[in-house]
Amino acid sequence: MKWFRLAVGSALSIRRSRLRRMAVAIGAIIVLTAPLYEGVASATSPPCGYWLVGTDGGIFTFGQAQFYGSTGSLKLQRPVVGISPAIPGTGYTGYWLVASDGGIFSFNTGFYGSIPGLGLNPAGSGLPHSLNAPIVGMVPSTTGHGYFMVASDGGVFAFGDAHFAGSCPGVGGCAGSAVAVVPDASGNGYWVVTSTGSVYGFGDAAYHGGPGVQSTPITSAAATPSGLGYYVVDASGQVFNYGDAKALGSLPAGAAGGSDPAAAIFVTDDGLGYWVVTAAGKVYPFGDAPNEGDMSGTPLNGQIIAAMGF
């Protein structure tokens, strides 16, 4: 019986020793592999998302872009033509919508003025003190404490701390209808882009080139994050890059145009990608821009007219 206890004790001691060695080995494996596992777990994608806006002011959010309200349920005097986040590169700072009469709708951000607030009536209203042409787009100032609007005649309107540096009427007019105003790096200049592919620099905005007349009109333009270049897109989805903008591709032939033109181009915050969206709400990503979803196949109250992302 004593021998049996000794044998059992010896066996248990051997098993405990083996278990301790196994535990040490497993612990070593965990220690060795833990940094690799942590590296994988901590590898996170940069924040990304976008807003699409219809002519009725309906807002559609994707990715990490936040919804703060819209004008989709309101009866508007004029259609919405643009959207701009208060501070590019984040989906949490609110945004502005602008209508073709220059009315501004602020959501979770500051209000710095509007065209109606200046006492001007909508273009084409037949009323005195009217705009010469409708507003077609807007962009924020470099600080987010102001914004620029551009009218189809190339007239530029600056509010808040946005710095006015000139406009098409002030230089005798521009070729074609303006479709976008694009800020440069310093905040002391901008480009006005027209439907005929002409690009006009104002203030200290350096001219990097323009596509000229294309088979379909130019519909949108966007600055690179550095403000040292810009993208231009036409109704068929051809993308043209200038300055430090990267050539990352265009829509396939026949993907856009006619009743569903490319309506907007907007750039990722790292400058390594962009999206093109059509009037029907189909989103095409390029470069490192992820596909966060779109509105294709969904009935819309108003066509997608503008978009912004990060």
Side-chain angles (χ1 to χ4, degrees), residues 97-115:
L97 299 183
V98 63
S100 66
D101 63 352
I104 289 286
F105 303 91
S106 299
F107 297 93
N108 198 49
T109 190
F111 174 76
Y112 299 103
S114 67
I115 299 295

Side-chain angles (χ1 to χ4, degrees), residues 6-20:
L6 287 171
V8 170
S10 298
L12 288 173
S13 177
I14 292 169
R15 287 185 65 190
R16 289 193 190 99
S17 177
R18 287 176 178 171
L19 285 172
R20 280 196 297 269

